[in-house]
Amino acid sequence: MRLGLALGYWGRGPNPDHLALAQEAERLGYGSVWTAEAWGSDAFTPLTWIAAHTSRIGLGTGIAQMAARTPTATAMHALTLDHLSGGRLLLGLGLSGPQVVEGWYGRPFPKSPLTATREYVEVIRRVLAREAPVAVAGRFHPLPYTGPDATGLGKPLKPITHPLRSALPVLLGAEGPKNIAQTVEIADGWLPLYWSPYRTDVYAASLTGLREGFMIAPMARAQVCDDVAEGLLPVKAMLGFYIGGMGHAARNFHADLMARMGFEEEARRIQHLFLQGRKEEAIGAVPDAFADEISLIGPRARIAEKLAEWCKGPVTDLLITAPDPHTLRVLAELNT
């Protein structure tokens, strides 16, 4: 199982520790470093900065939101950064949810998310293959565009720039069973939001027929500390925000996933509290048991025991969100 470093989003501004953490991860032999985006900093620009200050570590978008860019624009970002980094990009994509797609990006959330995702990936694959001008008769991403307000002057094009790698890896963030199954079919890897090594049966039906080399790369908060309860607080804060705030009361993919993992009552309570504006209570309602299952928190010996459970399953890359270089070093030592 390879290790990666997940830096996540920026907060109010750039984190001054991120570059040093990425450089330390490269020195320790981590395979990749990942950035994220929501409605603040973008995913590609920080990766470009990191690429300029590293030489070997893989560079992953975890995740770039599909609604933020047309598939051809995303392909342009990918082939550009892949060239500049010497072929280190891992393109992680996600659809996000209706609240963000419609509220932030001002686009309709697709009525058929699976079809929209499939078309998006197909366009990117064709751009990177550069075998012919890209023409796709898609429902959501048609090229050329021929809708009711089209000029009729559009024509199929292929990128001027020759991609460095036509088979640049594409990974998808997916949560629903059908979406995960499609990810196995059309992508090179899967970026699970929550992964419990004790509940792998939740995903088993969707992960049949895995191809050789297919990446399964979940994120997990890690921190070497003496007080487990205190170490879990950032995990609970993240869960409270995702489950309570990243979606509508009637349509929240993160809450639905937590429910499928055996915590339905708790997920609905977190949603209820968060949407009432009782955010601290929502965070407090996140069960320690769930936060602990999806993270690696505590003294070194405890983390070693938990890491052994992660190694037993199908995970190929464990993407660590760690607050300090010491934790990165301990994970690297334990994973040898």
Side-chain angles (χ1 to χ4, degrees), residues 196 198-205:
S196 168
Y198 311 99
R199 300 173 191 267
T200 56
D201 58 305
V202 172
Y203 301 115

Side-chain angles (χ1 to χ4, degrees), residues 9 76 108 111 127 135 162 183 195 206 208 242 251 264 268:
Y9 316 105
M76 289 167 63
K111 289 183 171 59
V127 171
H162 291 236
T183 296
W195 180 277
S206 301
T208 56
Y242 269 78
R251 196 169 188 185
E264 181 168 9
R268 303 312 170 197

